[in-house]
Amino acid sequence: MQTLILGVALALASAFSWASATILVRLGLRKLSPIGANIFRLYVASTLFLIIFALTGNLSVFKLPARLLVLAFISAQFGFVIGDYFYFNALKRMGVSRTVPITSTYPLWAILWAILFLGKRVKPHVIIGAVLVVLAIIVVKKAEEEEHADRLGFLFAFIAPISWSVAITIMDYLTRSMPSLQLAGIRMVFAALGISVFLPRYGEEVRKISRREAIALTGAAVLGLILGQYLFVYSVSLVGSPIAAPVSAINPIIASLLAVLLLKEKPNARIFEGLILGVVGVVLISVG
């Protein structure tokens, strides 16, 4: 029971970190392209993790078996390069309060992959929670259609959580063989390596990042990619992705409230309906 409580607490803490990072990312995206912003924050996070590794004697992680390193690399690409590419584009097109409720469906996909590939069992209330999460997507989609928002933004927001869920499932498997700190850091280093393929095209943009944008994205990197990711990996190592992922998905409530308070976004009633359905769904899933 103590392990479950600690795992849930860590997942909730990661949700607070991610929600705060979302607001900072939104601020940093006002002039930057999604890829340019992602390159900057991944480079910051990976550099800080390498420093942490050097100070704590964890550089030996690079000597792990090739199979584990390849899986960590794949997880990093789905999580921080592919998934975040669609997420950042959705944020830029639709804002925080409309994007986050859709992208927070990643627990639904993570549970599905855990059942299919990790042999996890699912209880009835988990299925009910998953249905509520799907209903949340439908509600938010209807709100977007009523406001004549571009469909591409919604599509980006829909693809992002599927990509993240693949990353989480692979990460869940790797927690059996790697300490949480090493897994969190190596994924970040590999993500920075993966996104470097875009550097020739976006390098000039990254070099011209303003001081204000750099501060916002550095804060997002520390809160979301270092603290938030480590807390989430640690939570998964304790209670598994079917519990950690849904609990961490409480972040839309936090992010949306912060967006209204700090960014002056004005979500309509259906957005809040979607948020409520999504949160109730992930709470039901989390007790599984």
Side-chain angles (χ1 to χ4, degrees):
M1 180 60 71
Q2 289 183 341
T3 299
L4 176 60
I5 293 174
L6 178 58
V8 169
L10 290 169
L12 286 173
S14 72
F16 275 92
S17 295
W18 287 341
S20 301
T22 296
I23 301 301
L24 292 174
V25 166
R26 179 62 174 157
L27 291 173
L29 279 175
R30 286 182 173 171
K31 293 182 179 179
L32 286 173
S33 69
I35 292 180
N38 205 17
I39 289 174
F40 183 86
R41 71 177 195 131
L42 285 176
Y43 278 15
V44 169
S46 61
T47 299
L48 291 176
F49 260 120
L50 287 174
I51 293 173
I52 293 172
F53 278 0
L55 294 176
T56 58
N58 279 289
L59 288 173
S60 58
V61 66
F62 295 102
K63 298 180 181 179
L64 288 172
R67 179 180 64 85
L68 297 180
L69 294 178
V70 169
L71 287 174
F73 182 85
I74 295 172
S75 175
Q77 306 318 304
F78 275 105
F80 304 114
V81 179
I82 300 171
D84 282 0
Y85 168 78
F86 289 110
Y87 176 56
F88 279 17
N89 272 288
L91 275 180
K92 194 160 188 175
R93 288 175 174 271
M94 302 194 301
V96 175
S97 58
R98 287 163 177 76
T99 298
V100 174
I102 304 169
T103 56
S104 292
T105 59
Y106 64 87
L108 174 62
W109 301 103
I111 289 174
L112 176 61
W113 309 144
I115 294 171
L116 295 177
F117 302 111
L118 300 180
K120 305 287 185 179
R121 294 184 179 180
V122 178
K123 298 178 181 178
H125 55 79
V126 174
I127 297 176
I128 295 173
V131 171
L132 289 177
V133 171
V134 172
L135 288 177
I137 300 177
I138 296 173
V139 169
V140 175
K141 179 65 171 70
K142 187 173 181 59
E144 292 301 319
E145 291 176 345
E146 290 175 353
E147 296 176 354
H148 305 290
D150 69 55
R151 296 181 179 180
L152 188 58
F154 181 87
L155 179 62
F156 285 162
F158 184 77
I159 294 175
I162 298 177
S163 182
W164 289 340
S165 68
V166 173
I168 290 170
T169 303
I170 297 174
M171 185 187 72
D172 193 345
Y173 173 79
L174 290 173
T175 56
R176 306 170 186 176
S177 306
M178 300 172 66
S180 299
L181 179 62
Q182 289 189 354
L183 180 53
I186 196 68
R187 291 174 77 231
M188 198 54 54
V189 172
F190 284 158
L193 289 175
I195 205 166
S196 293
V197 298
F198 296 106
L199 196 57
R201 181 176 178 181
Y202 293 90
E204 186 65 23
E205 177 184 322
V206 173
R207 285 190 290 272
K208 292 182 178 179
I209 287 178
S210 68
R211 182 179 179 182
R212 181 174 178 275
E213 291 168 337
I215 292 173
L217 291 174
T218 297
V222 172
L223 286 173
L225 299 182
I226 297 179
L227 180 60
Q229 194 220 167
Y230 171 69
L231 292 172
F232 182 65
V233 172
Y234 193 6
S235 175
V236 171
S237 72
L238 293 177
V239 296
S241 59
I243 292 179
V247 173
S248 68
I250 200 74
N251 81 81
I253 284 290
I254 306 168
S256 292
L257 290 176
L258 289 175
V260 171
L261 293 173
L262 302 178
L263 302 182
K264 308 303 180 183
E265 293 187 6
K266 297 179 180 180
N268 64 28
R270 288 192 181 276
I271 299 299
F272 281 114
E273 291 171 6
L275 282 170
I276 293 171
L277 283 172
V279 170
V280 172
V282 298
V283 168
L284 283 174
I285 294 171
S286 70
V287 297

